[in-house]
Amino acid sequence: MAVSEFYDAHPNYTTRIVIATRDSGGDVVQAAASALDLINNVQVQAILGPETSMQANFLIPLGEKAQIPVISFSASSPTLASIRSPYFFRATQKDSTQVNAIAAIVKAFSWRQVVPIYVDNAYGEGIVPSLVDSLDAVDARVPYRSAISASATDDQIGQELYKLMTMQTRVFVVHMAPNLGARLFAKAKEVEMMSPGYVWIVTDGITGFLNSIDSSVLESMQGVLGVKPHVPRTKEVLEFRSRWKRKFQRDHPEILDADLNSYGLWAYDATVALATAIEKAGQDNSSSSNAGNVTNSTDLDRIRASSSGPNLALELSRAKFAGLSGEFAMEPDGQLKGSAYEVVNVNGNGGRVVGYWTRGGGLARELANESTAGRSASRESLMRTVIWPGDAAAVPKGFQMPTSGKKLRIGVPVKDGFSEFVSVTTDPETNKTSVTGYCIDIFEAVVQTLPYALPFEYVPFANATGDSAGTYNDLVYQVFLGNFDAVVGDTTVIANRSNYVDFTLPYTESGVSMVVPVRPDGSKNAWLFLKPLTWDLWMTTFLFFLFIGFVVWVLEHRISKDFRGPPSHQAGTSLWFSFSTMVFAHRENVVSNLARTVVIIWCFVVLILTQSYTASFTSLLTVQRLQPTVTDINELLRKGEFVGYQDGSFVVGLLKRIGFRDDRLVPYDNSDHCDTLFGQGRIAAAFDEIPYIKLFLAKHCSKYMMTDPSYKTDGFGFVFPKGSVLVPDISRAVLNVTEGDKMTKIEEAWFGKNSRCPESSTSVSPGGQLGLNSFWSLFLIAGVAAVSALIIFAATFVYQHRQILLQQQEGEERIMRLLRTFDKKDLKCHTFRDDNRVGNNEVNLVSLNVMSPSAYSVQTEFPVDSSTAAAATPPPIDSSTELHYNDNVEAQGVEISIDLHQNFSGAGQIDDGYDNDEITRH
């Protein structure tokens, strides 16, 4: 049909394909002989075929030797690509492309183990490496590979299926020819492996022929998933299928309702590609060079190279067109470019498409827009609901316990102490073993939350006398050896054990710590009042008191009478003012707004400090504190102290790595034994895992304390063999139990409601001291406010007295004059200003108030001529007279000099408001 329709569409082509057919009979040797006959006797220029990958293995070298293209539309084994012949062209999808679609399905349903079932030949074995790699990429393991011979009997197939039934895995990938696959599924249904809980996935070697498989075989395949290349349902494809059916019915009237699969479409497209390449290569139907004319000869030494073969191979490698199967284009290695795959669910009389898979988009509901295909491999990405074997709607778990009734053999440790975690007892009368404990209850609660039954039995790890058969490492190693299927108990998750087994998520706290005796805190002494604050906070607070006192003195010295006087008086006042803020007892008058702002902020800081100090000091005086006898492990090593560890625990290895000698390590069996060792002074500290330590401290709250250092471990976990499919489900169930109320009830049942020791602590702190790190922000705010106030005051002061800096004097002299000015009163301030002040345009007066001790006062006012600066002579005064003056004449710009010593005699003292007796104002 391809040749006829191609040349009907291209009547002007000068070349024509003449088809010479040979039937290999499905035999590899016969296929090779037929190829030799075609090459040597018919002198063909190309070979379409062969049908199988094993036949292609023979034909590809023959085609390369004869330099004629070999085009196969059904040989899909990935191993053919390794031959790397430039004359081999695969016009079909190789099997390695569909394994990614299968892996996407496995990932979508979270299956963790898959068993491939394949035909034991080159076709079947060729897909296995690619399949294993793809499954490994989605975290799925292949625990077993089932190879079935192409000539296997039904009994042999049944034996292999019975073997698979004894395993936990229930996900199978079938890759074989349709006739062998039909027998396999018929036997699987017979042994009840097509029931709920099983998953069957078939490759396109079977999926592509579903429409041609007998209805009885389809009945046994209900619920099977399959993948096959996607063929677009174009108008050309539909019309060709109709033409093919009509022709097929004429040639084979005895076969009803036949359908054309994708292999037929690839055969059509391969023929079209060959016809196009021949026309472009200018094929002239010439014979191979040196070819003999002896008929029916198949001698290998008579194969000669075709002169037109290289050009024909080149044109085939360039072939690109829209074929019936989709886009037809060859990659550089002679492989057809990959296409999308359909996910098919066998249901009813055939397969229905439930989803699609593309190389770039993964699983998707629709294929209309591949760029927006669902990239996350989730089960919701499938287009329709899948009907599983046994007409089950629920997604199979992918594994279950073997149907043989074998229970999981779970090893449990046998130990003398800490029976709250695991306890193994034997009834002497019935000789029945009972296993109880906190860890056992946790495991049984976990198993109850699983969505499936998990039969198991406990097997104590004991010798003939009933004692422990080894350490915990020995017990874990039994799982690696296969003697136990799991281990349940107080088994810690550590790195070296994980090299041999898999652990579930831990269900207890993690870590190894140190237990030491405690003694009363002897820190309550005469200097206890210093302990609430650290030394850096004490020093910072003291320096800030000095700094704030200095800032307030600077801001108040010129305007407040309280901050004036002799230097010693000013220094004392400043310090008194600053430290009195600690108890808010300051009485000095603060006039400046800048100083008031600084004081308000500082008082707030002092309030926080005093309240914090009071709370910490109260705690030191009232709370009974216990201190550990040892706080540093290096001290134990330096002194060569004896330390204890639980017998059989991995902790002994940890202590040796830290540096403890063997002769300094003392084992103990249980908590009472450990307490005895402490009481006898045989050990200075004990190292154990935190769950054991908390149980020990619950019994001895007032005698011991848990201290640092702590060494990280992952807590207690359940042990399973490497790659066990139970680990993910058990881990999820552990989370459900530990996050619920069940965990609390189990803890209370075994450890009591008051199982936590209130005096124990995981670390030793320096007595709860308050440090600078808790208050640095407050000091920063107060410091910024004080410095800002100083800057504002200095800028204002310099600006008001800038005429001093502008005078023609030495720099040091100007600075000294500025400092002397700062030391004087600011008479403009309201604290020194007289209410009776005349305007600048009136006659200025110098007022002298003369008051005698005999309680009378004579006030004499005399005018001052502002133009001559001459003052009237004041009345005489004696030594007992107090002289007060008011100078309001500086506004006129005149210079007035008054000599108060003019008529003064005696031993009296003149207070003029300045530091000298001579008054000079400018």
Side-chain angles (χ1 to χ4, degrees), residues 207-245:
T207 311
F209 293 90
L210 287 178
N211 294 334
S212 305
I213 294 179
D214 186 78
S215 59
S216 61
V217 177
L218 282 177
E219 180 64 26
S220 64
M221 294 179 63
Q222 296 297 301
V224 171
L225 280 179
V227 295
K228 68 176 183 179
H230 170 66
V231 176
R233 294 178 60 84
T234 61
K235 178 182 178 181
E236 290 76 13
V237 173
L238 297 177
E239 291 176 351
F240 176 76
R241 288 183 183 274
S242 298
R243 297 196 304 272
W244 181 87
K245 281 191 175 184

Short mmCIF file of all heavy atoms in Angstrom, two decimals, residues 207-245:
data_model
loop_
_atom_site.label_atom_id
_atom_site.label_comp_id
_atom_site.label_asym_id
_atom_site.label_seq_id
_atom_site.Cartn_x
_atom_site.Cartn_y
_atom_site.Cartn_z
N THR A 207 1.16 -3.78 24.47
CA THR A 207 0.12 -2.74 24.37
C THR A 207 -0.23 -2.45 22.92
O THR A 207 -1.41 -2.21 22.59
CB THR A 207 0.59 -1.46 25.06
OG1 THR A 207 1.11 -1.76 26.35
CG2 THR A 207 -0.55 -0.47 25.20
N GLY A 208 0.76 -2.47 22.03
CA GLY A 208 0.50 -2.17 20.63
C GLY A 208 -0.36 -3.19 19.93
O GLY A 208 -0.90 -2.92 18.85
N PHE A 209 -0.53 -4.39 20.53
CA PHE A 209 -1.32 -5.45 19.89
C PHE A 209 -2.60 -5.76 20.66
O PHE A 209 -3.20 -6.82 20.46
CB PHE A 209 -0.47 -6.72 19.78
CG PHE A 209 0.69 -6.59 18.84
CD1 PHE A 209 1.93 -6.16 19.30
CD2 PHE A 209 0.55 -6.88 17.50
CE1 PHE A 209 3.00 -6.03 18.44
CE2 PHE A 209 1.62 -6.75 16.63
CZ PHE A 209 2.85 -6.32 17.09
N LEU A 210 -3.00 -4.87 21.58
CA LEU A 210 -4.21 -5.14 22.35
C LEU A 210 -5.43 -5.34 21.46
O LEU A 210 -6.29 -6.17 21.75
CB LEU A 210 -4.46 -4.00 23.35
CG LEU A 210 -3.54 -3.91 24.56
CD1 LEU A 210 -3.88 -2.71 25.41
CD2 LEU A 210 -3.62 -5.19 25.40
N ASN A 211 -5.51 -4.57 20.38
CA ASN A 211 -6.68 -4.68 19.51
C ASN A 211 -6.68 -5.96 18.69
O ASN A 211 -7.69 -6.28 18.05
CB ASN A 211 -6.75 -3.47 18.57
CG ASN A 211 -6.99 -2.19 19.33
OD1 ASN A 211 -7.57 -2.20 20.42
ND2 ASN A 211 -6.55 -1.07 18.78
N SER A 212 -5.55 -6.67 18.69
CA SER A 212 -5.46 -7.92 17.94
C SER A 212 -5.48 -9.14 18.83
O SER A 212 -5.45 -10.27 18.33
CB SER A 212 -4.18 -7.93 17.09
OG SER A 212 -4.11 -6.80 16.25
N ILE A 213 -5.49 -8.94 20.15
CA ILE A 213 -5.45 -10.05 21.09
C ILE A 213 -6.85 -10.63 21.26
O ILE A 213 -7.86 -9.92 21.24
CB ILE A 213 -4.88 -9.60 22.44
CG1 ILE A 213 -3.40 -9.20 22.27
CG2 ILE A 213 -4.98 -10.69 23.49
CD1 ILE A 213 -2.76 -8.70 23.54
N ASP A 214 -6.90 -11.93 21.43
CA ASP A 214 -8.18 -12.64 21.60
C ASP A 214 -8.91 -12.12 22.84
O ASP A 214 -8.29 -11.74 23.84
CB ASP A 214 -7.91 -14.14 21.71
CG ASP A 214 -9.20 -14.95 21.74
OD1 ASP A 214 -9.79 -15.13 20.66
OD2 ASP A 214 -9.60 -15.36 22.83
N SER A 215 -10.22 -12.13 22.77
CA SER A 215 -11.04 -11.60 23.86
C SER A 215 -10.84 -12.38 25.15
O SER A 215 -10.92 -11.82 26.25
CB SER A 215 -12.51 -11.61 23.46
OG SER A 215 -12.93 -12.93 23.17
N SER A 216 -10.55 -13.68 25.06
CA SER A 216 -10.33 -14.47 26.28
C SER A 216 -9.05 -14.03 26.98
O SER A 216 -8.96 -14.05 28.20
CB SER A 216 -10.26 -15.95 25.92
OG SER A 216 -9.17 -16.20 25.03
N VAL A 217 -8.04 -13.64 26.17
CA VAL A 217 -6.80 -13.15 26.76
C VAL A 217 -7.04 -11.78 27.40
O VAL A 217 -6.54 -11.48 28.49
CB VAL A 217 -5.69 -13.08 25.71
CG1 VAL A 217 -4.42 -12.50 26.32
CG2 VAL A 217 -5.42 -14.45 25.13
N LEU A 218 -7.80 -10.93 26.73
CA LEU A 218 -8.12 -9.61 27.29
C LEU A 218 -8.87 -9.75 28.62
O LEU A 218 -8.71 -8.93 29.52
CB LEU A 218 -8.95 -8.80 26.30
CG LEU A 218 -8.19 -8.15 25.15
CD1 LEU A 218 -9.17 -7.45 24.22
CD2 LEU A 218 -7.16 -7.17 25.66
N GLU A 219 -9.68 -10.79 28.71
CA GLU A 219 -10.41 -11.00 29.96
C GLU A 219 -9.46 -11.22 31.12
O GLU A 219 -9.74 -10.80 32.25
CB GLU A 219 -11.35 -12.19 29.80
CG GLU A 219 -12.18 -12.52 31.04
CD GLU A 219 -13.14 -11.40 31.41
OE1 GLU A 219 -13.54 -10.63 30.53
OE2 GLU A 219 -13.49 -11.30 32.61
N SER A 220 -8.33 -11.88 30.86
CA SER A 220 -7.36 -12.14 31.93
C SER A 220 -6.45 -10.95 32.18
O SER A 220 -5.67 -10.96 33.14
CB SER A 220 -6.52 -13.37 31.58
OG SER A 220 -5.74 -13.12 30.42
N MET A 221 -6.53 -9.93 31.35
CA MET A 221 -5.65 -8.75 31.49
C MET A 221 -6.39 -7.53 32.03
O MET A 221 -5.84 -6.43 31.99
CB MET A 221 -5.02 -8.40 30.13
CG MET A 221 -4.07 -9.45 29.59
SD MET A 221 -3.40 -8.98 27.98
CE MET A 221 -2.50 -7.50 28.40
N GLN A 222 -7.59 -7.69 32.53
CA GLN A 222 -8.35 -6.55 33.01
C GLN A 222 -7.61 -5.85 34.16
O GLN A 222 -7.17 -6.49 35.11
CB GLN A 222 -9.73 -7.00 33.48
CG GLN A 222 -10.60 -7.58 32.39
CD GLN A 222 -10.91 -6.55 31.31
OE1 GLN A 222 -11.49 -5.50 31.58
NE2 GLN A 222 -10.54 -6.87 30.08
N GLY A 223 -7.48 -4.53 34.03
CA GLY A 223 -6.80 -3.75 35.06
C GLY A 223 -5.33 -3.51 34.78
O GLY A 223 -4.66 -2.81 35.56
N VAL A 224 -4.81 -4.05 33.67
CA VAL A 224 -3.40 -3.87 33.34
C VAL A 224 -3.18 -2.47 32.78
O VAL A 224 -4.01 -1.94 32.04
CB VAL A 224 -2.96 -4.95 32.32
CG1 VAL A 224 -1.55 -4.65 31.81
CG2 VAL A 224 -3.03 -6.33 32.95
N LEU A 225 -2.04 -1.85 33.16
CA LEU A 225 -1.62 -0.60 32.58
C LEU A 225 -0.59 -0.88 31.49
O LEU A 225 0.23 -1.80 31.63
CB LEU A 225 -1.00 0.32 33.63
CG LEU A 225 -1.93 1.11 34.54
CD1 LEU A 225 -1.12 1.93 35.53
CD2 LEU A 225 -2.84 2.02 33.76
N GLY A 226 -0.61 -0.09 30.43
CA GLY A 226 0.35 -0.25 29.36
C GLY A 226 0.74 1.09 28.77
O GLY A 226 0.04 2.09 28.94
N VAL A 227 1.87 1.10 28.09
CA VAL A 227 2.33 2.30 27.39
C VAL A 227 2.55 1.94 25.93
O VAL A 227 2.97 0.83 25.60
CB VAL A 227 3.62 2.86 28.02
CG1 VAL A 227 3.37 3.36 29.42
CG2 VAL A 227 4.73 1.82 28.02
N LYS A 228 2.27 2.88 25.08
CA LYS A 228 2.54 2.70 23.65
C LYS A 228 2.74 4.07 23.02
O LYS A 228 2.23 5.08 23.53
CB LYS A 228 1.39 1.96 22.97
CG LYS A 228 0.09 2.75 22.88
CD LYS A 228 -0.97 1.97 22.10
CE LYS A 228 -2.27 2.78 21.95
NZ LYS A 228 -3.28 2.04 21.17
N PRO A 229 3.49 4.14 21.92
CA PRO A 229 3.72 5.44 21.28
C PRO A 229 2.42 6.08 20.82
O PRO A 229 1.49 5.40 20.37
CB PRO A 229 4.62 5.08 20.09
CG PRO A 229 5.27 3.81 20.47
CD PRO A 229 4.25 3.06 21.27
N HIS A 230 2.38 7.38 20.96
CA HIS A 230 1.18 8.11 20.57
C HIS A 230 1.19 8.39 19.07
O HIS A 230 2.18 8.88 18.52
CB HIS A 230 1.11 9.43 21.33
CG HIS A 230 0.05 10.36 20.83
ND1 HIS A 230 -1.29 10.09 20.94
CD2 HIS A 230 0.15 11.58 20.21
CE1 HIS A 230 -1.98 11.08 20.42
NE2 HIS A 230 -1.13 11.99 19.96
N VAL A 231 0.09 8.03 18.41
CA VAL A 231 -0.10 8.31 16.99
C VAL A 231 -1.21 9.35 16.86
O VAL A 231 -2.34 9.11 17.29
CB VAL A 231 -0.48 7.03 16.22
CG1 VAL A 231 -0.77 7.37 14.76
CG2 VAL A 231 0.63 6.00 16.32
N PRO A 232 -0.90 10.51 16.30
CA PRO A 232 -1.94 11.54 16.18
C PRO A 232 -3.12 11.05 15.35
O PRO A 232 -2.95 10.39 14.32
CB PRO A 232 -1.20 12.69 15.48
CG PRO A 232 0.25 12.43 15.73
CD PRO A 232 0.40 10.95 15.78
N ARG A 233 -4.31 11.35 15.82
CA ARG A 233 -5.52 10.94 15.10
C ARG A 233 -5.86 11.99 14.03
O ARG A 233 -6.81 12.75 14.13
CB ARG A 233 -6.68 10.78 16.07
CG ARG A 233 -6.48 9.64 17.06
CD ARG A 233 -7.64 9.54 18.04
NE ARG A 233 -8.91 9.28 17.36
CZ ARG A 233 -9.34 8.07 17.00
NH1 ARG A 233 -8.58 6.99 17.25
NH2 ARG A 233 -10.50 7.91 16.40
N THR A 234 -5.02 12.01 12.99
CA THR A 234 -5.23 12.96 11.91
C THR A 234 -6.21 12.39 10.89
O THR A 234 -6.53 11.19 10.89
CB THR A 234 -3.89 13.28 11.24
OG1 THR A 234 -3.35 12.07 10.69
CG2 THR A 234 -2.90 13.86 12.24
N LYS A 235 -6.64 13.24 10.00
CA LYS A 235 -7.55 12.82 8.94
C LYS A 235 -6.89 11.79 8.04
O LYS A 235 -7.53 10.80 7.62
CB LYS A 235 -7.99 14.04 8.13
CG LYS A 235 -8.90 13.72 6.96
CD LYS A 235 -9.25 14.99 6.19
CE LYS A 235 -10.13 14.67 4.99
NZ LYS A 235 -10.46 15.89 4.21
N GLU A 236 -5.59 11.98 7.76
CA GLU A 236 -4.88 11.05 6.89
C GLU A 236 -4.80 9.66 7.54
O GLU A 236 -4.94 8.64 6.85
CB GLU A 236 -3.46 11.56 6.62
CG GLU A 236 -3.39 12.80 5.73
CD GLU A 236 -3.78 14.07 6.48
OE1 GLU A 236 -3.86 14.00 7.74
OE2 GLU A 236 -3.98 15.11 5.83
N VAL A 237 -4.56 9.61 8.83
CA VAL A 237 -4.47 8.33 9.52
C VAL A 237 -5.81 7.61 9.50
O VAL A 237 -5.89 6.40 9.22
CB VAL A 237 -3.98 8.53 10.97
CG1 VAL A 237 -4.04 7.22 11.74
CG2 VAL A 237 -2.56 9.07 10.97
N LEU A 238 -6.88 8.33 9.80
CA LEU A 238 -8.21 7.70 9.81
C LEU A 238 -8.57 7.17 8.43
O LEU A 238 -9.12 6.06 8.30
CB LEU A 238 -9.24 8.71 10.31
CG LEU A 238 -9.06 9.19 11.76
CD1 LEU A 238 -10.12 10.24 12.11
CD2 LEU A 238 -9.15 8.02 12.73
N GLU A 239 -8.30 7.93 7.40
CA GLU A 239 -8.63 7.48 6.05
C GLU A 239 -7.78 6.28 5.65
O GLU A 239 -8.27 5.35 5.01
CB GLU A 239 -8.42 8.62 5.06
CG GLU A 239 -9.43 9.76 5.22
CD GLU A 239 -9.14 10.92 4.29
OE1 GLU A 239 -8.06 10.90 3.65
OE2 GLU A 239 -9.98 11.83 4.20
N PHE A 240 -6.51 6.29 6.03
CA PHE A 240 -5.67 5.15 5.69
C PHE A 240 -6.11 3.89 6.43
O PHE A 240 -6.10 2.79 5.86
CB PHE A 240 -4.20 5.45 6.02
CG PHE A 240 -3.30 4.28 5.77
CD1 PHE A 240 -2.92 3.94 4.47
CD2 PHE A 240 -2.83 3.50 6.82
CE1 PHE A 240 -2.10 2.85 4.23
CE2 PHE A 240 -1.99 2.42 6.59
CZ PHE A 240 -1.63 2.09 5.29
N ARG A 241 -6.49 4.01 7.69
CA ARG A 241 -6.98 2.84 8.42
C ARG A 241 -8.21 2.25 7.74
O ARG A 241 -8.36 1.02 7.66
CB ARG A 241 -7.30 3.22 9.87
CG ARG A 241 -6.09 3.47 10.75
CD ARG A 241 -6.52 3.77 12.17
NE ARG A 241 -5.39 4.09 13.04
CZ ARG A 241 -4.65 3.19 13.68
NH1 ARG A 241 -4.94 1.91 13.54
NH2 ARG A 241 -3.65 3.55 14.45
N SER A 242 -9.08 3.10 7.24
CA SER A 242 -10.28 2.60 6.54
C SER A 242 -9.87 1.85 5.27
O SER A 242 -10.40 0.75 4.97
CB SER A 242 -11.21 3.77 6.21
OG SER A 242 -11.65 4.40 7.39
N ARG A 243 -8.95 2.42 4.51
CA ARG A 243 -8.50 1.74 3.29
C ARG A 243 -7.81 0.42 3.62
O ARG A 243 -8.00 -0.58 2.93
CB ARG A 243 -7.53 2.64 2.51
CG ARG A 243 -8.15 3.93 1.99
CD ARG A 243 -7.27 4.57 0.93
NE ARG A 243 -5.91 4.83 1.38
CZ ARG A 243 -5.54 5.94 1.99
NH1 ARG A 243 -6.43 6.90 2.24
NH2 ARG A 243 -4.27 6.12 2.35
N TRP A 244 -7.02 0.43 4.68
CA TRP A 244 -6.31 -0.80 5.07
C TRP A 244 -7.30 -1.88 5.49
O TRP A 244 -7.13 -3.06 5.15
CB TRP A 244 -5.35 -0.48 6.21
CG TRP A 244 -4.55 -1.68 6.66
CD1 TRP A 244 -3.38 -2.12 6.14
CD2 TRP A 244 -4.91 -2.59 7.70
NE1 TRP A 244 -2.97 -3.25 6.81
CE2 TRP A 244 -3.91 -3.57 7.76
CE3 TRP A 244 -6.00 -2.67 8.55
CZ2 TRP A 244 -3.93 -4.62 8.68
CZ3 TRP A 244 -6.04 -3.72 9.47
CH2 TRP A 244 -5.01 -4.69 9.54
N LYS A 245 -8.31 -1.51 6.27
CA LYS A 245 -9.30 -2.50 6.70
C LYS A 245 -10.03 -3.13 5.52
O LYS A 245 -10.27 -4.34 5.48
CB LYS A 245 -10.31 -1.86 7.67
CG LYS A 245 -9.79 -1.70 9.08
CD LYS A 245 -10.91 -1.31 10.03
CE LYS A 245 -10.43 -1.28 11.47
NZ LYS A 245 -11.50 -1.00 12.44
#
